[in-house]
Amino acid sequence: MRFGTFFLVVALGLGLSACMKKASRDLRQITPGPAAVFNPMLPQTYQGVECPNGLQITVTPPTENIQAQSAASFSVSVVGCKYGYDIQVGNNSARVAMNASSYNSDPNARRYIPYTYSFSQTFPSAGPATVQVSIFPRVSDSVPSYTQFFYGTTSVTVQSAPTYTCSVEPALFSVPANSTSVQRNFYITSTACSAQNPQITAISGGTTTQTTPITLSTNPVLLTLTQPPGAIQFTVSTSGGQSVCSSQAVPVSTNQILGNFSGEFPNSKMDHFYLVPNPSGGRDIMVDYVDVNGRYVTTVLSAPLVSADIPDSILAGDVDADGKDDVLLYKAGVFKWMKSLGRTGFAPISAFSQQWPSTMLLTDFSFVPAASGAPAMIRGTFGGQTYYSTISATGLSQPLQQVGQVTLSLNSTSLSGANTNAILGWSGTQVTNCELRKCSWSSSGGSSCTPNQVDQTFASGASSGSTITVSNLSESYNFQMRCNQIQSSQIISSAVVPFFVAVPNICPISSLVLSGSRSPAAAGAQTLSLGTLSMPADMTALDLRVNLIGIDDNNPNLLINGQSALRITEGNVNAHNITGRNDQIASFVATGVNNVQCGAINKGGPSSCTVTINGSYKTYGGCVADLKQSHVIGNIDRIENNVLHGWACQAGSANPVPVHLYIGGANSASYFSGAFTANLVAPSGVSGKCGANGIAYGFSVDLNPYIGTRAGQPIYVYGINSNLSLNVLLGNSGRLLVPNQ
């Protein structure tokens, strides 16, 4: 039954189409002259004395459309006279002094200072209209003139006042039959913009503790409905008129339940499912879905219940473990169900293949959701005793007084070279002959698990807190614990635990050129710096080969981190290229920053060395466009006590770098989970990899806030470069998962 208080949100929807259009503008600049066009009364006196250069009047209409019965703002600017001005708008208003935009004590200089005045005017009807002002130049600073004046005008086109409408959600609302106290909430919008000041000025069919008029806003208004409930009408008034909108009450039978049918609000029961009698003797199915703002949207399913399917009772619960509550219909000892499809409604009614035996039908039953390793169940009474029957998409089990339970969770992950270890926690009660099953990978987990292999077996249920370590995983699996109930030998299974194992990226290196030169250079042994290579911190495989070396010297020797990686003996003196090489140098390259040099014997004159490298490397981080650039390197090391530890640095720099955390996927706003700074003391050896003298390269992130919603999802961390185009996914990204507890 849906009794009690429901939140009413009354909010304003602005109709911008009626408020933001541009107005046509007729701007007239008026300069009096000898012909006395604007004032027949001694115009020359003003032009020659107070206004020696003539008078300029500018009347500016508003830029927006001018609408009938709505105030429109105008401005007036006057320049040309010595002592200032008074202004009169139309024929009936009082004369007031205009304001100078600045002040100058010299009256002759004031002839060039604009004086301004703003006013508003309301037009009663649509059509062309003229706005007129009278300007009175002053005789002196303090003496106004009341006889000599000039006119300023502008022509405008006045639009008809728009017709505004309001709307109410839900348009239909359920009312339990024979209820004595009903309170409901509604969400009201208007097409009027805020300038029209839309307000609720009258309510019929219900009362509220608030006093009308009620300005439309996001503030809640709770209505107590009159009895019997019928149509609720709201009158919304604006400066341009009134509109009336309504919502209709729908009396329903007792077949009404609450649930999370959309699947959008876990652990809540805020959606409403109810059956409404129809003329054919069946029942129409209506669902009120709540949104994030607390308002309801009513959906009427296209397929009503025929009279034969009208249930004796209905239940709500997640039957198929997809996170959405389904609807169970019970009649004459038989359960049927309607699978929830989210906000789009429900699948057609279908019967379960397994039902209770006719000799053991439970009464006074309720739905018990899956929790703590126990499957979803129907709990009821038989012979004065409480029984339990497990339920899934295939049907119901034989009712039992004791039901076994088994749980399985991912406690943590650890790394073992290129492989990953899963540390699982499990417990069981009233079970025996348990087995841990490895199943084909599915990112969603699901409710079933067809094993690729049985990893371990257990004779009986474990104590709470027992752990299982599954080592050296090189691919992703779903894990599930499967047992027999002691009382009935019926098979029950834990929830499926997805375990994702990341696959390393293969990053190609094509025609990577390192070069250095010196000119002039003394004869004899020379060592030229070719720069640095910054390799990923978790590089799992490396294949680097020198394909070409060009020198101006003899006997080139390629040095990597001070070690001779390639030596070529040749006797030519002139500049030459040594091509067709395929020399493996990977064993001399380390993770992090590598210093590369070229040593040779110089015969005198310029000295240069160029090396071209091809190959590839593997990393769980991101591929780098140019290994010679000062990009970010770093690594996710471990999870310890639900804290993620790692390090990051910009190659060659001692400055801390920002790191961004993503959970569930990489480089997408929907997975972004926080920004942090790598400024903690890093593990030993990190400074050498960073190629700098700093030690503050470490970071740690508390994962406890993410366990409830992101458990079992892979963790990715990006190192943020000072050049944002060079941001890099850190090593071991995707290999560690958020723990379950």
Short mmCIF file of all heavy atoms in Angstrom, two decimals, residues 373-434:
data_model
loop_
_atom_site.label_atom_id
_atom_site.label_comp_id
_atom_site.label_asym_id
_atom_site.label_seq_id
_atom_site.Cartn_x
_atom_site.Cartn_y
_atom_site.Cartn_z
N GLY A 373 25.61 -14.06 1.30
CA GLY A 373 25.82 -15.38 0.75
C GLY A 373 24.59 -16.23 0.62
O GLY A 373 24.62 -17.27 -0.04
N ALA A 374 23.51 -15.83 1.27
CA ALA A 374 22.27 -16.59 1.13
C ALA A 374 21.58 -16.17 -0.16
O ALA A 374 21.55 -14.99 -0.50
CB ALA A 374 21.35 -16.33 2.32
N PRO A 375 21.02 -17.12 -0.90
CA PRO A 375 20.30 -16.75 -2.12
C PRO A 375 18.98 -16.06 -1.79
O PRO A 375 18.54 -16.03 -0.64
CB PRO A 375 20.06 -18.10 -2.79
CG PRO A 375 20.02 -19.08 -1.65
CD PRO A 375 21.00 -18.57 -0.63
N ALA A 376 18.36 -15.47 -2.79
CA ALA A 376 17.03 -14.90 -2.60
C ALA A 376 16.07 -16.02 -2.22
O ALA A 376 16.16 -17.15 -2.72
CB ALA A 376 16.57 -14.21 -3.87
N MET A 377 15.13 -15.72 -1.30
CA MET A 377 14.25 -16.76 -0.78
C MET A 377 12.84 -16.22 -0.59
O MET A 377 12.61 -15.02 -0.50
CB MET A 377 14.77 -17.27 0.58
CG MET A 377 16.10 -17.99 0.51
SD MET A 377 16.66 -18.55 2.15
CE MET A 377 17.11 -17.00 2.91
N ILE A 378 11.89 -17.15 -0.55
CA ILE A 378 10.54 -16.88 -0.08
C ILE A 378 10.44 -17.49 1.32
O ILE A 378 10.69 -18.68 1.50
CB ILE A 378 9.48 -17.49 -1.01
CG1 ILE A 378 9.60 -16.91 -2.42
CG2 ILE A 378 8.09 -17.24 -0.44
CD1 ILE A 378 9.29 -15.44 -2.51
N ARG A 379 10.09 -16.65 2.29
CA ARG A 379 9.92 -17.13 3.65
C ARG A 379 8.43 -17.18 3.97
O ARG A 379 7.71 -16.20 3.71
CB ARG A 379 10.64 -16.21 4.63
CG ARG A 379 10.45 -16.61 6.11
CD ARG A 379 11.25 -15.68 7.01
NE ARG A 379 10.92 -14.29 6.76
CZ ARG A 379 11.74 -13.27 7.02
NH1 ARG A 379 12.95 -13.51 7.51
NH2 ARG A 379 11.35 -12.03 6.78
N GLY A 380 7.97 -18.31 4.49
CA GLY A 380 6.56 -18.45 4.80
C GLY A 380 6.31 -19.42 5.94
O GLY A 380 7.26 -19.89 6.58
N THR A 381 5.06 -19.73 6.14
CA THR A 381 4.66 -20.58 7.27
C THR A 381 3.98 -21.84 6.75
O THR A 381 3.17 -21.79 5.81
CB THR A 381 3.71 -19.82 8.20
OG1 THR A 381 4.36 -18.65 8.67
CG2 THR A 381 3.30 -20.68 9.39
N PHE A 382 4.31 -22.98 7.39
CA PHE A 382 3.64 -24.25 7.08
C PHE A 382 3.57 -25.05 8.38
O PHE A 382 4.60 -25.29 9.03
CB PHE A 382 4.40 -25.04 6.02
CG PHE A 382 3.73 -26.33 5.63
CD1 PHE A 382 2.63 -26.32 4.76
CD2 PHE A 382 4.16 -27.55 6.13
CE1 PHE A 382 2.00 -27.49 4.40
CE2 PHE A 382 3.53 -28.73 5.77
CZ PHE A 382 2.45 -28.70 4.90
N GLY A 383 2.36 -25.45 8.75
CA GLY A 383 2.19 -26.22 9.99
C GLY A 383 2.65 -25.47 11.22
O GLY A 383 3.15 -26.08 12.17
N GLY A 384 2.53 -24.15 11.21
CA GLY A 384 2.93 -23.36 12.37
C GLY A 384 4.43 -23.12 12.46
O GLY A 384 4.89 -22.48 13.41
N GLN A 385 5.23 -23.62 11.49
CA GLN A 385 6.68 -23.46 11.49
C GLN A 385 7.11 -22.58 10.32
O GLN A 385 6.43 -22.52 9.29
CB GLN A 385 7.38 -24.83 11.39
CG GLN A 385 7.02 -25.80 12.50
CD GLN A 385 7.54 -25.34 13.85
OE1 GLN A 385 8.65 -24.82 13.97
NE2 GLN A 385 6.71 -25.51 14.89
N THR A 386 8.27 -21.91 10.48
CA THR A 386 8.83 -21.07 9.42
C THR A 386 9.67 -21.91 8.47
O THR A 386 10.53 -22.70 8.91
CB THR A 386 9.68 -19.94 10.01
OG1 THR A 386 8.86 -19.14 10.86
CG2 THR A 386 10.27 -19.07 8.91
N TYR A 387 9.43 -21.74 7.18
CA TYR A 387 10.19 -22.45 6.15
C TYR A 387 10.77 -21.44 5.16
O TYR A 387 10.28 -20.31 5.03
CB TYR A 387 9.28 -23.44 5.40
CG TYR A 387 9.03 -24.74 6.15
CD1 TYR A 387 8.11 -24.78 7.20
CD2 TYR A 387 9.71 -25.90 5.81
CE1 TYR A 387 7.88 -25.95 7.90
CE2 TYR A 387 9.47 -27.09 6.49
CZ TYR A 387 8.55 -27.10 7.53
OH TYR A 387 8.33 -28.27 8.21
N TYR A 388 11.79 -21.92 4.47
CA TYR A 388 12.45 -21.09 3.46
C TYR A 388 12.50 -21.85 2.14
O TYR A 388 12.73 -23.06 2.12
CB TYR A 388 13.88 -20.73 3.88
CG TYR A 388 13.96 -19.89 5.12
CD1 TYR A 388 13.99 -20.48 6.39
CD2 TYR A 388 14.00 -18.50 5.03
CE1 TYR A 388 14.07 -19.71 7.53
CE2 TYR A 388 14.08 -17.72 6.18
CZ TYR A 388 14.11 -18.33 7.42
OH TYR A 388 14.19 -17.56 8.54
N SER A 389 12.31 -21.11 1.07
CA SER A 389 12.40 -21.71 -0.26
C SER A 389 13.24 -20.76 -1.13
O SER A 389 12.90 -19.58 -1.27
CB SER A 389 11.00 -21.88 -0.86
OG SER A 389 11.09 -22.29 -2.21
N THR A 390 14.34 -21.24 -1.65
CA THR A 390 15.16 -20.39 -2.51
C THR A 390 14.44 -20.16 -3.83
O THR A 390 13.66 -21.00 -4.30
CB THR A 390 16.53 -21.02 -2.77
OG1 THR A 390 16.36 -22.28 -3.44
CG2 THR A 390 17.29 -21.25 -1.48
N ILE A 391 14.70 -18.98 -4.44
CA ILE A 391 14.03 -18.62 -5.69
C ILE A 391 15.05 -18.02 -6.64
O ILE A 391 15.95 -17.27 -6.25
CB ILE A 391 12.86 -17.63 -5.43
CG1 ILE A 391 12.08 -17.39 -6.73
CG2 ILE A 391 13.35 -16.34 -4.82
CD1 ILE A 391 10.79 -16.62 -6.50
N SER A 392 14.92 -18.39 -7.91
CA SER A 392 15.76 -17.84 -8.98
C SER A 392 14.90 -17.77 -10.23
O SER A 392 13.70 -18.05 -10.19
CB SER A 392 17.00 -18.70 -9.21
OG SER A 392 16.62 -19.98 -9.69
N ALA A 393 15.52 -17.43 -11.35
CA ALA A 393 14.76 -17.31 -12.59
C ALA A 393 14.16 -18.63 -13.04
O ALA A 393 13.20 -18.65 -13.83
CB ALA A 393 15.66 -16.75 -13.70
N THR A 394 14.69 -19.75 -12.53
CA THR A 394 14.15 -21.06 -12.93
C THR A 394 13.01 -21.53 -12.03
O THR A 394 12.24 -22.40 -12.40
CB THR A 394 15.25 -22.12 -12.93
OG1 THR A 394 15.84 -22.19 -11.62
CG2 THR A 394 16.32 -21.78 -13.94
N GLY A 395 12.91 -20.97 -10.82
CA GLY A 395 11.79 -21.38 -9.98
C GLY A 395 12.13 -21.43 -8.52
O GLY A 395 13.12 -20.84 -8.06
N LEU A 396 11.29 -22.17 -7.75
CA LEU A 396 11.41 -22.25 -6.30
C LEU A 396 11.85 -23.64 -5.89
O LEU A 396 11.49 -24.64 -6.52
CB LEU A 396 10.07 -21.92 -5.63
CG LEU A 396 9.52 -20.51 -5.85
CD1 LEU A 396 8.54 -20.52 -7.02
CD2 LEU A 396 8.85 -20.00 -4.59
N SER A 397 12.63 -23.70 -4.79
CA SER A 397 13.09 -24.99 -4.28
C SER A 397 12.09 -25.57 -3.28
O SER A 397 11.15 -24.89 -2.86
CB SER A 397 14.45 -24.82 -3.59
OG SER A 397 14.30 -24.06 -2.39
N GLN A 398 12.31 -26.82 -2.93
CA GLN A 398 11.52 -27.44 -1.87
C GLN A 398 11.68 -26.63 -0.59
O GLN A 398 12.78 -26.30 -0.17
CB GLN A 398 12.04 -28.87 -1.63
CG GLN A 398 11.46 -29.59 -0.44
CD GLN A 398 10.12 -30.23 -0.78
OE1 GLN A 398 9.84 -30.51 -1.93
NE2 GLN A 398 9.29 -30.45 0.23
N PRO A 399 10.57 -26.24 0.09
CA PRO A 399 10.70 -25.46 1.33
C PRO A 399 11.44 -26.25 2.41
O PRO A 399 11.19 -27.44 2.60
CB PRO A 399 9.24 -25.20 1.73
CG PRO A 399 8.47 -25.31 0.45
CD PRO A 399 9.17 -26.38 -0.34
N LEU A 400 12.38 -25.58 3.09
CA LEU A 400 13.17 -26.19 4.15
C LEU A 400 13.16 -25.29 5.37
O LEU A 400 13.04 -24.07 5.27
CB LEU A 400 14.63 -26.39 3.68
CG LEU A 400 14.85 -27.28 2.46
CD1 LEU A 400 16.29 -27.18 2.01
CD2 LEU A 400 14.47 -28.72 2.78
N GLN A 401 13.33 -25.92 6.55
CA GLN A 401 13.39 -25.13 7.77
C GLN A 401 14.77 -24.50 7.98
O GLN A 401 14.89 -23.47 8.63
CB GLN A 401 13.02 -25.98 8.99
CG GLN A 401 11.54 -26.29 9.07
CD GLN A 401 11.18 -26.96 10.38
OE1 GLN A 401 11.41 -28.15 10.55
NE2 GLN A 401 10.63 -26.19 11.31
N GLN A 402 15.81 -25.11 7.45
CA GLN A 402 17.15 -24.56 7.53
C GLN A 402 17.74 -24.52 6.12
O GLN A 402 17.75 -25.53 5.42
CB GLN A 402 18.05 -25.41 8.44
CG GLN A 402 17.66 -25.34 9.92
CD GLN A 402 18.61 -26.13 10.78
OE1 GLN A 402 19.03 -27.23 10.41
NE2 GLN A 402 18.95 -25.58 11.94
N VAL A 403 18.22 -23.37 5.74
CA VAL A 403 18.76 -23.18 4.40
C VAL A 403 20.24 -22.87 4.51
O VAL A 403 20.65 -22.00 5.29
CB VAL A 403 18.03 -22.04 3.66
CG1 VAL A 403 18.65 -21.79 2.30
CG2 VAL A 403 16.56 -22.38 3.51
N GLY A 404 21.05 -23.60 3.76
CA GLY A 404 22.48 -23.34 3.76
C GLY A 404 22.81 -21.99 3.14
O GLY A 404 22.05 -21.46 2.32
N GLN A 405 23.95 -21.46 3.54
CA GLN A 405 24.43 -20.20 2.99
C GLN A 405 25.90 -20.33 2.65
O GLN A 405 26.65 -21.03 3.35
CB GLN A 405 24.24 -19.05 3.98
CG GLN A 405 22.81 -18.79 4.37
CD GLN A 405 22.69 -17.58 5.30
OE1 GLN A 405 23.57 -16.74 5.35
NE2 GLN A 405 21.60 -17.52 6.03
N VAL A 406 26.31 -19.66 1.59
CA VAL A 406 27.72 -19.65 1.22
C VAL A 406 28.05 -18.28 0.64
O VAL A 406 27.26 -17.72 -0.13
CB VAL A 406 28.06 -20.78 0.22
CG1 VAL A 406 27.26 -20.66 -1.06
CG2 VAL A 406 29.56 -20.79 -0.10
N THR A 407 29.17 -17.73 1.07
CA THR A 407 29.60 -16.41 0.58
C THR A 407 30.98 -16.53 -0.06
O THR A 407 31.79 -17.38 0.32
CB THR A 407 29.67 -15.38 1.72
OG1 THR A 407 30.71 -15.76 2.63
CG2 THR A 407 28.35 -15.30 2.45
N LEU A 408 31.23 -15.65 -1.00
CA LEU A 408 32.55 -15.55 -1.63
C LEU A 408 32.78 -14.09 -1.97
O LEU A 408 31.88 -13.41 -2.48
CB LEU A 408 32.60 -16.40 -2.91
CG LEU A 408 33.96 -16.43 -3.63
CD1 LEU A 408 35.00 -17.18 -2.79
CD2 LEU A 408 33.82 -17.08 -5.01
N SER A 409 33.96 -13.59 -1.64
CA SER A 409 34.29 -12.19 -1.92
C SER A 409 35.75 -12.08 -2.32
O SER A 409 36.56 -12.95 -2.00
CB SER A 409 34.00 -11.31 -0.70
OG SER A 409 34.81 -11.70 0.39
N LEU A 410 36.08 -11.01 -3.01
CA LEU A 410 37.46 -10.71 -3.36
C LEU A 410 38.03 -9.81 -2.27
O LEU A 410 37.63 -8.66 -2.14
CB LEU A 410 37.54 -10.02 -4.72
CG LEU A 410 38.92 -9.51 -5.12
CD1 LEU A 410 39.89 -10.67 -5.33
CD2 LEU A 410 38.84 -8.65 -6.38
N ASN A 411 38.96 -10.34 -1.48
CA ASN A 411 39.55 -9.54 -0.41
C ASN A 411 40.63 -8.60 -0.93
O ASN A 411 40.69 -7.44 -0.54
CB ASN A 411 40.13 -10.45 0.67
CG ASN A 411 39.04 -11.12 1.49
OD1 ASN A 411 37.87 -10.83 1.32
ND2 ASN A 411 39.43 -12.02 2.38
N SER A 412 41.50 -9.10 -1.80
CA SER A 412 42.58 -8.27 -2.32
C SER A 412 43.22 -8.96 -3.50
O SER A 412 42.91 -10.11 -3.83
CB SER A 412 43.63 -7.98 -1.23
OG SER A 412 44.22 -9.19 -0.77
N THR A 413 44.13 -8.25 -4.15
CA THR A 413 44.92 -8.80 -5.26
C THR A 413 46.38 -8.50 -5.00
O THR A 413 46.73 -7.55 -4.30
CB THR A 413 44.51 -8.19 -6.60
OG1 THR A 413 44.58 -6.76 -6.50
CG2 THR A 413 43.10 -8.58 -6.97
N SER A 414 47.24 -9.31 -5.56
CA SER A 414 48.68 -9.06 -5.49
C SER A 414 49.30 -9.45 -6.82
O SER A 414 48.68 -10.15 -7.64
CB SER A 414 49.32 -9.85 -4.34
OG SER A 414 49.18 -11.25 -4.55
N LEU A 415 50.52 -8.96 -7.04
CA LEU A 415 51.20 -9.18 -8.31
C LEU A 415 52.35 -10.15 -8.11
O LEU A 415 53.05 -10.13 -7.10
CB LEU A 415 51.72 -7.86 -8.87
CG LEU A 415 50.65 -6.76 -9.06
CD1 LEU A 415 51.30 -5.49 -9.56
CD2 LEU A 415 49.57 -7.23 -10.01
N SER A 416 52.52 -11.01 -9.11
CA SER A 416 53.62 -11.97 -9.11
C SER A 416 54.25 -11.95 -10.49
O SER A 416 53.89 -12.76 -11.36
CB SER A 416 53.11 -13.36 -8.73
OG SER A 416 54.16 -14.31 -8.79
N GLY A 417 55.17 -11.00 -10.72
CA GLY A 417 55.75 -10.84 -12.04
C GLY A 417 54.68 -10.45 -13.04
O GLY A 417 53.93 -9.50 -12.85
N ALA A 418 54.60 -11.22 -14.12
CA ALA A 418 53.60 -10.95 -15.14
C ALA A 418 52.23 -11.51 -14.78
O ALA A 418 51.27 -11.27 -15.51
CB ALA A 418 54.06 -11.54 -16.47
N ASN A 419 52.12 -12.23 -13.67
CA ASN A 419 50.85 -12.84 -13.27
C ASN A 419 50.26 -12.12 -12.06
O ASN A 419 50.91 -11.32 -11.40
CB ASN A 419 51.05 -14.33 -12.95
CG ASN A 419 51.46 -15.12 -14.18
OD1 ASN A 419 51.03 -14.81 -15.28
ND2 ASN A 419 52.30 -16.13 -14.00
N THR A 420 49.00 -12.45 -11.78
CA THR A 420 48.25 -11.81 -10.69
C THR A 420 47.70 -12.87 -9.76
O THR A 420 47.31 -13.96 -10.19
CB THR A 420 47.09 -10.97 -11.26
OG1 THR A 420 47.60 -10.08 -12.25
CG2 THR A 420 46.41 -10.17 -10.18
N ASN A 421 47.68 -12.56 -8.46
CA ASN A 421 47.13 -13.47 -7.46
C ASN A 421 45.81 -12.90 -6.94
O ASN A 421 45.69 -11.70 -6.71
CB ASN A 421 48.10 -13.65 -6.29
CG ASN A 421 49.46 -14.15 -6.74
OD1 ASN A 421 49.57 -14.94 -7.67
ND2 ASN A 421 50.51 -13.65 -6.09
N ALA A 422 44.82 -13.77 -6.75
CA ALA A 422 43.53 -13.38 -6.18
C ALA A 422 43.42 -13.95 -4.77
O ALA A 422 43.60 -15.16 -4.57
CB ALA A 422 42.38 -13.90 -7.03
N ILE A 423 43.17 -13.08 -3.79
CA ILE A 423 42.96 -13.52 -2.41
C ILE A 423 41.47 -13.41 -2.14
O ILE A 423 40.91 -12.31 -2.05
CB ILE A 423 43.78 -12.69 -1.42
CG1 ILE A 423 45.29 -12.88 -1.66
CG2 ILE A 423 43.45 -13.10 0.01
CD1 ILE A 423 45.88 -11.93 -2.66
N LEU A 424 40.79 -14.56 -2.03
CA LEU A 424 39.34 -14.63 -1.89
C LEU A 424 38.99 -14.98 -0.46
O LEU A 424 39.70 -15.74 0.21
CB LEU A 424 38.76 -15.68 -2.83
CG LEU A 424 39.08 -15.53 -4.32
CD1 LEU A 424 38.66 -16.77 -5.09
CD2 LEU A 424 38.39 -14.30 -4.89
N GLY A 425 37.88 -14.42 0.03
CA GLY A 425 37.35 -14.79 1.34
C GLY A 425 36.05 -15.55 1.17
O GLY A 425 35.25 -15.24 0.29
N TRP A 426 35.83 -16.59 1.99
CA TRP A 426 34.58 -17.34 1.85
C TRP A 426 34.15 -17.90 3.20
O TRP A 426 34.94 -18.06 4.13
CB TRP A 426 34.72 -18.44 0.81
CG TRP A 426 35.31 -19.75 1.30
CD1 TRP A 426 36.61 -19.99 1.60
CD2 TRP A 426 34.60 -20.96 1.53
NE1 TRP A 426 36.77 -21.28 2.01
CE2 TRP A 426 35.55 -21.91 1.96
CE3 TRP A 426 33.27 -21.34 1.40
CZ2 TRP A 426 35.21 -23.21 2.28
CZ3 TRP A 426 32.93 -22.65 1.72
CH2 TRP A 426 33.89 -23.57 2.15
N SER A 427 32.86 -18.19 3.31
CA SER A 427 32.32 -18.83 4.50
C SER A 427 31.07 -19.60 4.09
O SER A 427 30.46 -19.33 3.05
CB SER A 427 31.97 -17.80 5.58
OG SER A 427 30.93 -16.94 5.13
N GLY A 428 30.69 -20.59 4.91
CA GLY A 428 29.50 -21.38 4.61
C GLY A 428 28.88 -21.93 5.87
O GLY A 428 29.59 -22.23 6.83
N THR A 429 27.57 -22.05 5.88
CA THR A 429 26.85 -22.68 6.99
C THR A 429 25.84 -23.66 6.41
O THR A 429 25.24 -23.41 5.35
CB THR A 429 26.12 -21.64 7.85
OG1 THR A 429 25.21 -20.89 7.03
CG2 THR A 429 27.10 -20.68 8.50
N GLN A 430 25.68 -24.78 7.08
CA GLN A 430 24.74 -25.82 6.66
C GLN A 430 25.04 -26.31 5.24
O GLN A 430 24.15 -26.58 4.45
CB GLN A 430 23.30 -25.32 6.74
CG GLN A 430 22.81 -25.01 8.15
CD GLN A 430 22.71 -26.26 9.01
OE1 GLN A 430 22.26 -27.31 8.55
NE2 GLN A 430 23.13 -26.14 10.25
N VAL A 431 26.37 -26.39 4.90
CA VAL A 431 26.76 -26.84 3.56
C VAL A 431 27.88 -27.86 3.68
O VAL A 431 28.59 -27.94 4.69
CB VAL A 431 27.23 -25.66 2.68
CG1 VAL A 431 26.08 -24.74 2.35
CG2 VAL A 431 28.35 -24.88 3.34
N THR A 432 28.06 -28.63 2.61
CA THR A 432 29.14 -29.60 2.54
C THR A 432 29.52 -29.78 1.07
O THR A 432 28.83 -29.29 0.17
CB THR A 432 28.71 -30.94 3.16
OG1 THR A 432 29.84 -31.82 3.20
CG2 THR A 432 27.59 -31.58 2.36
N ASN A 433 30.64 -30.49 0.84
CA ASN A 433 31.11 -30.79 -0.52
C ASN A 433 31.18 -29.51 -1.38
O ASN A 433 30.58 -29.41 -2.44
CB ASN A 433 30.20 -31.82 -1.20
CG ASN A 433 30.18 -33.14 -0.45
OD1 ASN A 433 31.18 -33.55 0.13
ND2 ASN A 433 29.02 -33.80 -0.44
N CYS A 434 31.93 -28.54 -0.88
CA CYS A 434 32.04 -27.26 -1.58
C CYS A 434 33.20 -27.29 -2.57
O CYS A 434 34.19 -28.00 -2.38
CB CYS A 434 32.26 -26.13 -0.57
SG CYS A 434 30.88 -25.93 0.59
#
